[in-house]
Amino acid sequence: LKQTIIVVPGSDYPGNISLKNCVSFLRDGKFVDQKTINQTADEKNATKMLFEKRLTTGERVQFEVYDSVYGFTTKEWDRVICLFSCGEHF
């Protein structure tokens, strides 16, 4: 099982990807407006989301989605495959 990392903005900018809506967008291919998502207290305090997806090649990949890179190690940076940003903010 390949394990990869995706980084999304840490704040909820209208129309962007965040921890709130990343799974529906990245796994399911559906954009959901963050304002319409109700979260539990644990979900609101989460710093990462996990999901798996089977690629068209048949390979299973586990994705870890983070909204902050503070404290990332070299090994974690080596696993980053995508970084979403919003304007000048990273």
Side-chain angles (χ1 to χ4, degrees):
L1 180 67
K2 187 175 182 178
Q3 296 178 319
T4 61
I5 293 176
I6 296 172
V7 181
V8 298
S11 298
D12 297 339
Y13 296 104
N16 278 357
I17 299 300
S18 70
L19 282 184
K20 285 183 182 179
N21 62 3
C22 67
V23 174
S24 63
F25 184 75
L26 297 168
R27 185 188 64 200
D28 306 330
K30 296 179 181 173
F31 178 80
V32 178
D33 189 330
Q34 302 162 33
K35 293 178 186 176
T36 65
I37 299 172
N38 293 322
Q39 292 183 302
T40 65
D42 287 341
E43 290 171 331
K44 288 180 183 179
N45 295 323
T47 58
K48 76 175 180 178
M49 297 291 285
L50 300 171
F51 69 94
E52 286 186 22
K53 183 167 177 90
R54 185 172 302 275
L55 304 180
T56 56
T57 61
E59 180 181 19
R60 273 187 25 221
V61 179
Q62 180 182 49
F63 294 91
E64 296 175 22
V65 184
Y66 291 86
D67 66 357
S68 174
V69 296
Y70 293 112
F72 264 30
T73 64
T74 301
K75 287 184 178 184
E76 288 167 318
W77 276 114
D78 288 343
R79 294 175 36 221
V80 173
I81 61 164
C82 180
L83 184 137
F84 287 86
S85 67
C86 177
E88 297 176 12
H89 305 283
F90 296 104

Coordinates of all heavy atoms in Angstrom, one line a residue:
L1 N 0.9 -1.2 0.0 CA 0.0 0.0 0.0 C 0.9 1.2 0.0 O 1.7 1.4 0.9 CB -0.9 0.0 1.2 CG -1.9 1.1 1.4 CD1 -2.9 1.1 0.3 CD2 -2.5 1.1 2.8
K2 N 0.8 2.0 -1.0 CA 1.6 3.2 -1.2 C 1.0 4.3 -0.3 O -0.3 4.5 -0.3 CB 1.6 3.7 -2.6 CG 2.5 4.8 -2.9 CD 2.6 5.1 -4.4 CE 3.5 6.2 -4.7 NZ 3.6 6.5 -6.1
Q3 N 1.8 5.0 0.5 CA 1.3 6.1 1.3 C 1.8 7.4 0.9 O 3.0 7.6 0.8 CB 1.7 5.9 2.8 CG 1.1 4.6 3.3 CD 1.5 4.3 4.7 OE1 2.7 4.5 5.1 NE2 0.6 3.9 5.6
T4 N 0.9 8.4 0.6 CA 1.3 9.7 0.0 C 0.7 10.8 0.9 O -0.3 10.5 1.6 CB 0.8 9.8 -1.4 OG1 -0.6 9.7 -1.5 CG2 1.4 8.8 -2.3
I5 N 1.2 12.0 0.7 CA 0.7 13.1 1.4 C 0.3 14.2 0.5 O 0.9 14.5 -0.5 CB 1.8 13.7 2.4 CG1 2.1 12.7 3.5 CG2 1.4 15.0 3.0 CD1 3.2 13.1 4.4
I6 N -0.9 14.9 0.8 CA -1.4 16.0 0.1 C -1.5 17.1 1.1 O -2.0 16.9 2.2 CB -2.7 15.7 -0.6 CG1 -2.6 14.7 -1.7 CG2 -3.4 17.0 -1.2 CD1 -3.8 14.2 -2.3
V7 N -1.2 18.4 0.8 CA -1.3 19.5 1.7 C -2.4 20.5 1.1 O -2.3 20.8 -0.1 CB 0.1 20.2 1.8 CG1 -0.1 21.4 2.8 CG2 1.1 19.2 2.3
V8 N -3.3 20.9 2.0 CA -4.3 21.8 1.6 C -4.2 23.1 2.5 O -3.6 23.0 3.5 CB -5.7 21.2 1.7 CG1 -5.9 20.0 0.8 CG2 -6.0 20.8 3.2
P9 N -4.8 24.2 2.1 CA -4.8 25.4 2.9 C -5.4 25.1 4.3 O -6.3 24.4 4.5 CB -5.7 26.4 2.1 CG -5.6 25.9 0.7 CD -5.5 24.4 0.8
G10 N -4.8 25.8 5.3 CA -5.2 25.7 6.7 C -6.5 26.4 7.0 O -7.1 26.2 8.0
S11 N -6.9 27.4 6.2 CA -8.0 28.2 6.5 C -9.1 27.9 5.5 O -8.8 27.4 4.4 CB -7.7 29.7 6.4 OG -6.8 30.0 7.4
D12 N -10.4 28.2 5.8 CA -11.5 27.9 4.9 C -11.7 29.1 4.1 O -12.5 30.0 4.4 CB -12.7 27.6 5.8 CG -12.6 26.3 6.6 OD1 -11.7 25.5 6.3 OD2 -13.3 26.2 7.6
Y13 N -11.1 29.1 2.9 CA -11.4 30.2 1.9 C -12.5 29.8 1.1 O -12.6 28.6 0.6 CB -10.1 30.4 1.0 CG -8.9 30.9 1.8 CD1 -7.9 30.1 2.1 CD2 -8.9 32.2 2.2 CE1 -6.8 30.5 2.8 CE2 -7.7 32.7 2.9 CZ -6.7 31.8 3.1 OH -5.6 32.3 3.8
P14 N -13.5 30.6 0.8 CA -14.6 30.3 0.0 C -14.2 29.7 -1.4 O -13.3 30.3 -2.0 CB -15.4 31.6 -0.2 CG -15.0 32.4 1.0 CD -13.6 32.0 1.3
G15 N -14.8 28.6 -1.7 CA -14.5 28.0 -3.0 C -13.2 27.1 -3.1 O -12.9 26.6 -4.2
N16 N -12.5 27.0 -2.0 CA -11.3 26.2 -2.0 C -11.4 24.8 -1.4 O -12.4 24.5 -0.7 CB -10.2 27.0 -1.3 CG -9.5 28.0 -2.1 OD1 -9.8 28.1 -3.3 ND2 -8.6 28.8 -1.5
I17 N -10.4 24.1 -1.5 CA -10.3 22.7 -0.9 C -9.7 23.0 0.5 O -8.8 23.8 0.7 CB -9.3 21.8 -1.7 CG1 -9.9 21.6 -3.1 CG2 -9.1 20.5 -1.0 CD1 -11.2 21.0 -3.2
S18 N -10.2 22.2 1.5 CA -9.7 22.3 2.8 C -9.9 20.9 3.4 O -10.3 19.9 2.7 CB -10.5 23.3 3.7 OG -11.8 22.8 3.9
L19 N -9.5 20.7 4.7 CA -9.7 19.4 5.3 C -11.2 19.0 5.3 O -11.5 17.8 5.3 CB -9.2 19.4 6.7 CG -7.7 19.2 6.9 CD1 -7.3 19.2 8.4 CD2 -7.1 18.0 6.2
K20 N -12.1 20.0 5.4 CA -13.5 19.7 5.4 C -14.0 19.0 4.2 O -14.9 18.1 4.3 CB -14.3 21.0 5.6 CG -14.3 21.7 6.9 CD -15.2 22.9 6.9 CE -15.2 23.6 8.2 NZ -16.0 24.8 8.1
N21 N -13.6 19.4 3.0 CA -14.1 18.9 1.8 C -13.1 18.1 0.9 O -13.4 17.7 -0.2 CB -14.8 20.0 1.0 CG -13.8 21.1 0.5 OD1 -12.6 21.0 0.8 ND2 -14.3 22.1 -0.1
C22 N -11.9 17.9 1.4 CA -10.9 17.2 0.6 C -11.2 15.8 0.2 O -11.0 15.4 -0.9 CB -9.5 17.3 1.3 SG -9.4 16.3 2.8
V23 N -11.8 15.0 1.1 CA -12.1 13.6 0.8 C -13.2 13.5 -0.3 O -13.0 12.8 -1.3 CB -12.5 12.8 2.0 CG1 -13.0 11.4 1.7 CG2 -11.4 12.8 3.0
S24 N -14.2 14.3 -0.2 CA -15.3 14.2 -1.3 C -14.7 14.7 -2.6 O -15.0 14.1 -3.6 CB -16.5 15.1 -0.9 OG -16.2 16.4 -0.8
F25 N -13.8 15.6 -2.6 CA -13.2 16.1 -3.9 C -12.2 15.2 -4.4 O -12.2 14.8 -5.6 CB -12.6 17.5 -3.6 CG -12.1 18.1 -4.9 CD1 -12.9 18.6 -5.8 CD2 -10.7 18.2 -5.1 CE1 -12.4 19.2 -7.0 CE2 -10.2 18.8 -6.3 CZ -11.1 19.3 -7.2
L26 N -11.2 14.8 -3.6 CA -10.1 14.0 -4.1 C -10.4 12.5 -4.3 O -10.0 11.9 -5.2 CB -8.9 14.1 -3.1 CG -8.3 15.5 -3.0 CD1 -7.4 15.6 -1.8 CD2 -7.6 15.9 -4.2
R27 N -11.2 11.9 -3.4 CA -11.6 10.5 -3.6 C -12.8 10.3 -4.5 O -12.8 9.5 -5.3 CB -11.9 9.9 -2.2 CG -12.2 8.4 -2.3 CD -12.6 7.8 -1.0 NE -13.9 8.4 -0.6 CZ -14.4 8.4 0.6 NH1 -13.8 7.9 1.6 NH2 -15.6 9.0 0.8
D28 N -13.8 11.2 -4.3 CA -15.1 11.0 -5.0 C -15.3 11.8 -6.2 O -16.2 11.6 -6.9 CB -16.3 11.2 -4.0 CG -16.2 10.3 -2.7 OD1 -15.6 9.2 -2.8 OD2 -16.6 10.8 -1.7
G29 N -14.4 12.8 -6.4 CA -14.6 13.7 -7.5 C -15.7 14.7 -7.5 O -16.2 15.2 -8.5
K30 N -16.2 15.0 -6.2 CA -17.3 15.9 -6.1 C -16.9 17.1 -5.2 O -16.4 16.9 -4.0 CB -18.5 15.2 -5.4 CG -19.0 14.1 -6.3 CD -20.1 13.4 -5.7 CE -20.6 12.3 -6.7 NZ -21.6 11.4 -6.1
F31 N -17.1 18.3 -5.7 CA -16.8 19.5 -4.8 C -18.0 19.8 -4.0 O -19.1 19.9 -4.4 CB -16.5 20.7 -5.7 CG -16.2 21.9 -4.9 CD1 -15.0 22.1 -4.3 CD2 -17.2 22.9 -4.7 CE1 -14.7 23.2 -3.5 CE2 -17.0 24.0 -3.9 CZ -15.7 24.2 -3.3
V32 N -17.8 19.9 -2.7 CA -18.8 20.3 -1.7 C -18.4 21.6 -1.0 O -17.3 21.7 -0.5 CB -19.0 19.2 -0.7 CG1 -20.0 19.6 0.4 CG2 -19.4 17.8 -1.3
D33 N -19.3 22.6 -1.0 CA -19.0 23.8 -0.4 C -18.8 23.6 1.1 O -19.6 23.0 1.7 CB -20.1 24.8 -0.6 CG -19.8 26.2 -0.2 OD1 -19.0 26.4 0.8 OD2 -20.3 27.2 -0.8
Q34 N -17.7 24.1 1.6 CA -17.4 23.9 3.1 C -18.4 24.4 4.0 O -18.6 23.8 5.1 CB -16.1 24.7 3.4 CG -14.9 24.3 2.5 CD -13.8 25.3 2.6 OE1 -13.6 26.0 3.6 NE2 -13.1 25.5 1.5
K35 N -19.2 25.4 3.6 CA -20.2 26.0 4.5 C -21.4 25.0 4.7 O -22.1 25.2 5.6 CB -20.8 27.3 3.9 CG -19.8 28.4 3.8 CD -20.4 29.6 3.2 CE -19.3 30.7 3.0 NZ -19.8 31.9 2.3
T36 N -21.5 24.1 3.8 CA -22.7 23.1 3.9 C -22.3 21.9 4.7 O -23.2 21.0 4.9 CB -23.1 22.7 2.5 OG1 -22.1 22.0 1.8 CG2 -23.5 23.9 1.7
I37 N -21.1 21.8 5.1 CA -20.6 20.6 5.8 C -20.7 20.8 7.3 O -20.2 21.7 7.9 CB -19.2 20.2 5.4 CG1 -19.1 20.0 3.9 CG2 -18.7 19.0 6.2 CD1 -17.7 19.8 3.4
N38 N -21.5 19.9 8.0 CA -21.6 19.8 9.4 C -20.5 18.9 10.0 O -20.4 17.8 9.5 CB -22.9 19.4 9.9 CG -24.0 20.4 9.5 OD1 -23.8 21.6 9.6 ND2 -25.2 19.9 9.2
Q39 N -19.7 19.4 10.9 CA -18.6 18.5 11.5 C -18.8 18.3 13.0 O -19.4 19.1 13.7 CB -17.3 19.2 11.3 CG -16.8 19.3 9.9 CD -15.5 20.0 9.8 OE1 -15.3 21.1 10.3 NE2 -14.5 19.3 9.2
T40 N -18.3 17.1 13.4 CA -18.3 16.9 14.9 C -17.1 17.7 15.5 O -16.3 18.2 14.8 CB -18.0 15.4 15.1 OG1 -16.7 15.0 14.7 CG2 -19.1 14.5 14.4
A41 N -17.1 17.7 16.8 CA -16.0 18.4 17.5 C -14.6 17.8 17.1 O -13.7 18.6 16.9 CB -16.2 18.4 19.0
D42 N -14.5 16.5 17.0 CA -13.3 15.9 16.6 C -12.9 16.3 15.2 O -11.7 16.5 14.9 CB -13.4 14.4 16.7 CG -13.4 13.9 18.2 OD1 -13.0 14.6 19.1 OD2 -13.8 12.7 18.4
E43 N -13.8 16.3 14.3 CA -13.5 16.7 12.9 C -13.1 18.1 12.8 O -12.2 18.4 12.1 CB -14.7 16.5 12.0 CG -15.1 15.0 11.8 CD -16.4 14.8 11.1 OE1 -17.3 15.7 11.2 OE2 -16.5 13.8 10.4
K44 N -13.6 19.0 13.6 CA -13.2 20.4 13.6 C -11.8 20.6 14.1 O -11.1 21.5 13.7 CB -14.2 21.3 14.5 CG -15.5 21.5 13.9 CD -16.4 22.3 14.8 CE -17.8 22.4 14.1 NZ -18.7 23.2 15.0
N45 N -11.4 19.8 15.0 CA -10.0 19.9 15.6 C -9.0 19.0 14.9 O -7.8 19.0 15.2 CB -10.1 19.5 17.1 CG -10.9 20.5 17.9 OD1 -10.9 21.7 17.6 ND2 -11.6 20.0 18.8
A46 N -9.4 18.3 13.8 CA -8.5 17.4 13.1 C -7.4 18.2 12.4 O -7.7 19.3 11.9 CB -9.3 16.5 12.1
T47 N -6.2 17.6 12.3 CA -5.1 18.3 11.6 C -4.8 17.5 10.3 O -4.0 17.9 9.5 CB -3.9 18.4 12.4 OG1 -3.5 17.1 12.9 CG2 -4.1 19.4 13.6
K48 N -5.5 16.3 10.2 CA -5.3 15.5 8.9 C -6.5 14.7 8.7 O -7.2 14.4 9.6 CB -4.0 14.7 9.0 CG -4.1 13.5 9.8 CD -2.8 12.7 9.7 CE -2.9 11.4 10.6 NZ -1.7 10.6 10.4
M49 N -6.6 14.3 7.4 CA -7.7 13.4 7.0 C -7.0 12.2 6.3 O -6.0 12.4 5.6 CB -8.7 14.0 6.1 CG -9.4 15.2 6.7 SD -10.6 14.7 7.9 CE -11.9 14.0 7.0
L50 N -7.6 11.0 6.4 CA -7.0 9.8 5.7 C -8.1 9.2 4.8 O -9.3 9.2 5.2 CB -6.6 8.8 6.8 CG -5.6 9.2 7.8 CD1 -5.4 8.1 8.8 CD2 -4.2 9.4 7.1
F51 N -7.7 8.8 3.7 CA -8.6 8.0 2.8 C -7.8 7.1 1.9 O -6.6 7.4 1.6 CB -9.6 8.9 2.1 CG -9.0 9.7 1.0 CD1 -8.9 9.3 -0.3 CD2 -8.5 11.0 1.3 CE1 -8.4 10.1 -1.3 CE2 -7.9 11.8 0.3 CZ -7.9 11.3 -1.0
E52 N -8.4 6.1 1.4 CA -7.8 5.2 0.4 C -8.5 5.3 -0.9 O -9.7 5.5 -0.9 CB -7.8 3.7 0.9 CG -6.8 3.5 2.0 CD -6.7 2.0 2.3 OE1 -7.1 1.1 1.5 OE2 -6.3 1.7 3.5
K53 N -7.7 5.0 -2.0 CA -8.4 5.0 -3.3 C -7.6 4.0 -4.2 O -6.4 3.9 -4.1 CB -8.3 6.4 -3.9 CG -9.0 6.5 -5.3 CD -9.2 7.9 -5.7 CE -9.8 8.0 -7.1 NZ -11.2 8.0 -7.1
R54 N -8.3 3.3 -5.0 CA -7.7 2.4 -5.9 C -7.6 3.1 -7.2 O -8.5 3.6 -7.8 CB -8.6 1.1 -6.1 CG -7.9 0.1 -7.0 CD -8.6 -1.2 -7.0 NE -8.8 -1.8 -5.7 CZ -7.9 -2.6 -5.1 NH1 -6.7 -2.9 -5.8 NH2 -8.1 -3.2 -4.0
L55 N -6.4 3.2 -7.7 CA -6.1 3.9 -9.0 C -6.5 3.1 -10.2 O -6.8 1.8 -10.0 CB -4.6 4.2 -9.1 CG -4.0 5.0 -7.9 CD1 -2.5 5.3 -8.1 CD2 -4.7 6.3 -7.7
T56 N -6.6 3.7 -11.3 CA -7.0 2.9 -12.6 C -6.0 1.8 -12.9 O -6.3 0.9 -13.6 CB -7.1 3.9 -13.8 OG1 -5.8 4.6 -13.9 CG2 -8.2 4.9 -13.6
T57 N -4.8 1.9 -12.3 CA -3.8 0.8 -12.5 C -4.0 -0.3 -11.6 O -3.4 -1.4 -11.8 CB -2.4 1.4 -12.3 OG1 -2.3 1.8 -10.9 CG2 -2.0 2.5 -13.2
G58 N -5.0 -0.2 -10.7 CA -5.3 -1.3 -9.7 C -4.5 -1.1 -8.4 O -4.8 -1.8 -7.5
E59 N -3.6 -0.2 -8.4 CA -2.8 0.0 -7.2 C -3.6 0.8 -6.1 O -4.4 1.7 -6.4 CB -1.6 0.9 -7.5 CG -0.7 1.2 -6.3 CD 0.5 2.1 -6.7 OE1 0.5 2.7 -7.8 OE2 1.5 2.1 -6.0
R60 N -3.6 0.3 -4.9 CA -4.2 1.0 -3.8 C -3.3 2.0 -3.2 O -2.1 1.7 -2.9 CB -4.6 0.0 -2.7 CG -6.0 -0.6 -2.9 CD -6.4 -1.5 -1.7 NE -5.8 -1.1 -0.5 CZ -5.4 -2.0 0.4 NH1 -5.5 -3.3 0.2 NH2 -4.9 -1.6 1.6
V61 N -3.8 3.2 -2.9 CA -3.0 4.3 -2.4 C -3.7 4.8 -1.1 O -4.9 5.1 -1.2 CB -2.7 5.4 -3.4 CG1 -1.9 6.5 -2.8 CG2 -2.0 4.8 -4.6
Q62 N -2.9 5.0 -0.1 CA -3.5 5.7 1.1 C -3.0 7.1 1.1 O -1.8 7.4 0.9 CB -3.0 5.0 2.4 CG -3.6 5.7 3.6 CD -3.1 5.1 4.9 OE1 -1.9 4.9 5.1 NE2 -4.1 4.8 5.8
F63 N -4.0 8.1 1.2 CA -3.7 9.5 1.1 C -3.8 10.0 2.5 O -4.8 9.8 3.2 CB -4.6 10.2 0.2 CG -4.4 9.8 -1.2 CD1 -5.2 8.8 -1.8 CD2 -3.5 10.5 -2.0 CE1 -5.0 8.5 -3.1 CE2 -3.4 10.2 -3.4 CZ -4.1 9.2 -3.9
E64 N -2.8 10.8 3.0 CA -2.9 11.6 4.2 C -3.0 13.1 3.7 O -2.1 13.5 3.0 CB -1.7 11.4 5.1 CG -1.5 10.0 5.6 CD -0.2 9.8 6.3 OE1 0.4 10.8 6.8 OE2 0.3 8.7 6.4
V65 N -4.0 13.8 4.2 CA -4.2 15.2 3.8 C -4.0 16.0 5.0 O -4.7 15.8 6.0 CB -5.6 15.4 3.2 CG1 -5.7 16.9 2.7 CG2 -5.9 14.4 2.0
Y66 N -3.1 16.9 5.0 CA -2.7 17.8 6.1 C -3.0 19.3 5.7 O -3.0 19.6 4.5 CB -1.2 17.7 6.4 CG -0.8 16.4 7.0 CD1 -0.4 15.4 6.2 CD2 -0.7 16.3 8.4 CE1 0.0 14.2 6.7 CE2 -0.2 15.1 8.9 CZ 0.1 14.0 8.1 OH 0.5 12.9 8.7
D67 N -3.3 20.1 6.7 CA -3.5 21.5 6.5 C -2.4 22.3 7.1 O -2.5 23.5 7.2 CB -4.9 22.0 7.0 CG -5.0 21.9 8.5 OD1 -4.1 21.4 9.2 OD2 -6.1 22.3 9.0
S68 N -1.3 21.7 7.5 CA -0.1 22.4 8.0 C 1.1 21.5 7.7 O 1.0 20.3 7.9 CB -0.3 22.6 9.5 OG 0.9 23.2 10.0
V69 N 2.2 22.1 7.4 CA 3.4 21.3 7.2 C 4.4 21.6 8.3 O 5.5 21.1 8.3 CB 4.1 21.7 5.8 CG1 3.2 21.3 4.7 CG2 4.4 23.2 5.8
Y70 N 4.0 22.3 9.3 CA 4.9 22.6 10.5 C 5.3 21.3 11.1 O 4.4 20.4 11.4 CB 4.2 23.5 11.5 CG 4.0 24.9 11.0 CD1 2.8 25.4 10.7 CD2 5.1 25.7 10.7 CE1 2.6 26.7 10.2 CE2 4.9 27.0 10.2 CZ 3.7 27.4 9.9 OH 3.5 28.7 9.4
G71 N 6.5 21.1 11.3 CA 7.0 19.8 11.9 C 7.2 18.7 11.0 O 7.6 17.6 11.4
F72 N 7.0 18.9 9.7 CA 7.2 17.8 8.7 C 8.7 17.4 8.7 O 9.6 18.3 8.8 CB 6.9 18.3 7.3 CG 5.5 17.9 6.8 CD1 4.4 17.8 7.7 CD2 5.2 17.7 5.5 CE1 3.2 17.5 7.3 CE2 3.9 17.4 5.0 CZ 2.9 17.3 6.0
T73 N 8.9 16.1 8.7 CA 10.3 15.6 8.6 C 10.7 15.5 7.1 O 9.8 15.6 6.2 CB 10.4 14.2 9.2 OG1 9.5 13.3 8.5 CG2 9.9 14.3 10.7
T74 N 11.9 15.2 6.8 CA 12.3 14.9 5.4 C 11.6 13.8 4.8 O 11.2 13.8 3.7 CB 13.9 14.7 5.4 OG1 14.5 15.8 6.0 CG2 14.4 14.4 4.0
K75 N 11.3 12.7 5.6 CA 10.6 11.6 5.1 C 9.2 12.0 4.7 O 8.6 11.5 3.7 CB 10.6 10.5 6.1 CG 11.9 9.8 6.3 CD 11.8 8.6 7.3 CE 13.1 7.9 7.4 NZ 13.1 6.7 8.2
E76 N 8.5 12.8 5.5 CA 7.2 13.3 5.1 C 7.2 14.1 3.9 O 6.4 14.0 3.0 CB 6.6 14.0 6.3 CG 6.2 13.1 7.4 CD 5.8 13.8 8.7 OE1 6.5 14.8 9.1 OE2 4.9 13.4 9.4
W77 N 8.2 15.0 3.8 CA 8.3 15.9 2.6 C 8.5 15.0 1.3 O 8.0 15.3 0.2 CB 9.4 16.9 2.7 CG 9.0 18.1 3.4 CD1 9.4 18.6 4.6 CD2 8.0 19.1 3.0 NE1 8.8 19.7 4.9 CE2 7.9 20.1 3.9 CE3 7.2 19.2 1.8 CZ2 7.0 21.2 3.8 CZ3 6.3 20.3 1.7 CH2 6.3 21.2 2.7
D78 N 9.2 13.9 1.5 CA 9.5 13.0 0.3 C 8.2 12.3 -0.1 O 8.1 11.9 -1.3 CB 10.5 11.9 0.7 CG 11.9 12.5 0.8 OD1 12.2 13.6 0.3 OD2 12.7 11.7 1.5
R79 N 7.2 12.2 0.7 CA 5.9 11.6 0.4 C 4.9 12.6 -0.2 O 3.8 12.2 -0.6 CB 5.3 10.9 1.6 CG 6.2 9.7 2.0 CD 5.7 9.1 3.3 NE 4.3 9.0 3.5 CZ 3.6 9.3 4.6 NH1 4.3 9.6 5.7 NH2 2.3 9.2 4.7
V80 N 5.2 13.9 -0.1 CA 4.2 14.9 -0.6 C 4.1 14.8 -2.2 O 5.1 14.9 -2.9 CB 4.6 16.3 -0.2 CG1 3.7 17.4 -0.9 CG2 4.6 16.5 1.3
I81 N 2.9 14.6 -2.6 CA 2.6 14.5 -4.1 C 1.9 15.7 -4.6 O 1.8 15.9 -5.8 CB 1.9 13.2 -4.5 CG1 0.5 13.2 -3.8 CG2 2.7 12.0 -4.1 CD1 -0.4 12.2 -4.4
C82 N 1.2 16.5 -3.7 CA 0.4 17.6 -4.2 C 0.3 18.7 -3.0 O 0.2 18.3 -1.9 CB -0.9 17.1 -4.6 SG -2.1 18.4 -5.2
L83 N 0.3 19.9 -3.4 CA 0.2 21.0 -2.5 C -0.8 22.0 -3.1 O -0.5 22.6 -4.1 CB 1.5 21.7 -2.1 CG 1.4 22.7 -1.0 CD1 2.6 22.6 -0.1 CD2 1.4 24.1 -1.6
F84 N -2.0 22.2 -2.4 CA -2.9 23.2 -2.9 C -2.6 24.5 -2.1 O -2.3 24.5 -0.9 CB -4.4 22.8 -2.5 CG -4.9 21.7 -3.3 CD1 -4.7 20.4 -3.0 CD2 -5.7 21.9 -4.4 CE1 -5.2 19.3 -3.7 CE2 -6.3 20.9 -5.2 CZ -6.0 19.6 -4.8
S85 N -2.6 25.6 -2.8 CA -2.4 26.9 -2.1 C -3.5 27.8 -2.6 O -4.2 27.6 -3.5 CB -1.0 27.4 -2.5 OG -1.0 27.8 -3.8
C86 N -3.6 28.9 -1.8 CA -4.6 29.9 -2.1 C -3.9 31.3 -2.2 O -3.5 31.8 -1.1 CB -5.7 29.9 -1.0 SG -6.9 31.2 -1.2
G87 N -3.8 31.8 -3.3 CA -3.2 33.2 -3.5 C -1.8 33.2 -3.0 O -1.0 32.3 -3.3
E88 N -1.5 34.2 -2.1 CA -0.2 34.3 -1.6 C 0.0 33.5 -0.3 O 1.1 33.5 0.2 CB 0.0 35.8 -1.2 CG 0.0 36.7 -2.5 CD 0.1 38.2 -2.1 OE1 0.5 38.5 -1.0 OE2 -0.1 39.0 -3.0
H89 N -1.0 32.8 0.2 CA -0.9 32.1 1.5 C -0.5 30.7 1.2 O -1.1 30.0 0.3 CB -2.2 32.1 2.2 CG -2.7 33.5 2.4 ND1 -2.2 34.3 3.4 CD2 -3.6 34.3 1.8 CE1 -2.8 35.5 3.4 NE2 -3.7 35.5 2.4
F90 N 0.4 30.1 2.0 CA 0.8 28.7 1.8 C 0.4 27.9 3.0 O 0.4 28.4 4.1 CB 2.3 28.6 1.5 CG 2.6 29.2 0.2 CD1 3.3 30.5 0.2 CD2 2.4 28.6 -1.0 CE1 3.6 31.1 -1.0 CE2 2.7 29.2 -2.2 CZ 3.3 30.4 -2.2

